Amino acid sequence: MGLFNRRTLENTAAVATLDVDPALAALTGDYVIDAAHSRIGFTVRHAMVTNVRGAFEEYEGTLHLDGGDPARSTASIDVQIASVDTGIADRDGHLRSADFFDAEAFPLMTFRSTEAAFLGGDTYRITGDLTIKDVTRPLSIDLEFNGSATDPYGNQRVGFEGSADILRSEWGLTWNAALETGGVVVSDKVKLTFDISAIKQG
């Protein structure tokens, strides 16, 4: 079930409009991301042969959903870089160091949306500014709407999941080491993944 359904009207040309489902339009409002039931993760190729997966354990975020006009929806997320967790303490320490994120000097990774669009079905695209180490570049994230529900505590929730690929070097994350067999220890390409549960406010 998508947030929006398209209906074509015939006159001199076919014109696409949005026919809003009243039940889904009722989801319009402000939401806070529930970090206890969400995940902001990443996957990166290691030594050219396998993937390392990790996540950030501490973050805050808000969403504004507009059920009548998705272009008016917004998102804002602040991630604590020091909360990076790959399951290996030494590797996490290296990621926090100046070789990578330099968490002491740049404690936050942030995302501020600038545009939202409905792509069809349950799929949306949120575009905004991703800032890492004081480098800000545009990022587009394709998200699938997983639905809404009222939890046992009476909270109205919505869920989204999605992903985006980035080149870490574009944000100043350039550390690497060469392998004797060719290639490098850490790939430039990183896959970001998002599983979001957000609670409606008010």
Side-chain angles (χ1 to χ4, degrees), residues 3-163:
L3 282 173
F4 307 97
N5 298 313
R6 291 196 178 275
R7 178 179 59 197
T8 301
L9 304 178
E10 295 291 334
N11 40 36
T12 56
V15 179
T17 63
L18 291 176
D19 186 16
V20 180
D21 182 328
L24 293 171
L27 298 178
T28 295
D30 295 317
Y31 293 76
V32 171
I33 293 175
D34 177 11
H37 297 93
S38 301
R39 187 175 191 272
I40 297 176
F42 58 88
T43 303
V44 62
R45 181 77 68 176
H46 177 260
M48 309 295 290
V49 297
T50 190
N51 290 319
V52 168
R53 293 174 173 83
F56 296 94
E57 301 298 324
E58 297 179 18
Y59 49 89
E60 298 178 347
T62 59
L63 309 174
H64 174 75
L65 303 183
D66 191 317
D69 182 0
R72 296 171 62 89
S73 298
T74 60
S76 175
I77 301 175
D78 293 335
V79 177
Q80 296 288 337
I81 289 295
S83 71
V84 65
D85 182 8
T86 66
I88 303 295
D90 287 347
R91 182 166 59 206
D92 296 341
H94 193 197
L95 289 172
R96 296 183 189 108
S97 76
D99 280 347
F100 283 96
F101 287 111
D102 198 357
E104 185 173 349
F106 306 101
L108 286 180
M109 173 172 62
T110 65
F111 178 80
R112 301 289 184 267
S113 67
T114 57
E115 182 180 355
F118 170 62
L119 302 183
D122 293 325
T123 306
Y124 300 82
R125 176 171 294 156
I126 190 85
T127 298
D129 294 325
L130 176 66
T131 301
I132 305 173
K133 296 181 72 172
D134 278 358
V135 177
T136 301
R137 296 182 58 85
L139 174 69
S140 291
I141 307 167
D142 287 351
L143 295 166
E144 182 178 353
F145 175 61
N146 286 338
S148 64
T150 300
D151 69 21
Y153 303 100
N155 299 311
Q156 185 176 25
R157 292 177 177 268
V158 294
F160 294 88
E161 63 178 313
S163 63

